[in-house]
Amino acid sequence: MHKIVFVTSNNGKFNEARSILGAKKIELLQNTEGYPELQEDDLEPIASFGAKWVAEKLQIPVMVDDSGLFINALNGFPGPYSAFVENKIGNKKILRLMEDEEDRTAYFKSVIGYCEPGNDAVVFTGIVKGLISFEERGSGGFGYDPIFEYNGRTFAEMSSEEKNKYSHRKRALEKFFEWLSSQR
Ligand code: ITT
């Protein structure tokens, strides 16, 4: 079985990616080493830099996932600052920021960065479009899932199997898998 080290301290991300890639006979191993996160408007350079940085540090092939929630009425906020904003203000205050907004559209984005020591990093992007709900709903998932609606239900109201069919992470990992398969 092909094994890949996934550098993340977010267990929600890890569990989802493990099940998505596990179905394709790839075993993921979690590493919580961490890496410096560039301050950029786009997630691609953050994932690319992070993957390269840990691959060279550990001298093994690694995968990272930089992701975020982009709310259109808030000009893409929290976007690349999603982890910081989740820790500092959380879903309830995001909903308060959205109180007077008619445009509820938003998207989740995940950028998978993969790097082998000595090579450049490669990145794979997945996006899922949805709506910001008016209240938190559901107890599944993690992070912003309770306020992100897809086809009428929040990601937190879905089983992980169902979220994994539509999610930004699934879409990015699918591209990563196709690339990996073409390399073998
Ligand atoms: P690592 O950097 O260690 O991987 P992190 O949680 O800090 O973990 P990011 O910097 O990529 O990860 O921040 C992403 C933020 O967006 C973080 O607050 C996540 O909880 C949230 N997020 C990412 N994917 C999500 C998803 O599928 N559902 C809900 N929230 C998500």
Side-chain angles (χ1 to χ4, degrees), residues 29 59 71 100 164:
L29 307 170
Q59 286 297 304
I71 303 177
D100 298 325
N164 285 347

Side-chain angles (χ1 to χ4, degrees), residues 11-22:
N11 294 333
K13 282 184 187 177
F14 179 74
N15 290 333
E16 288 181 7
R18 183 175 51 186
S19 117
I20 293 166
L21 290 179

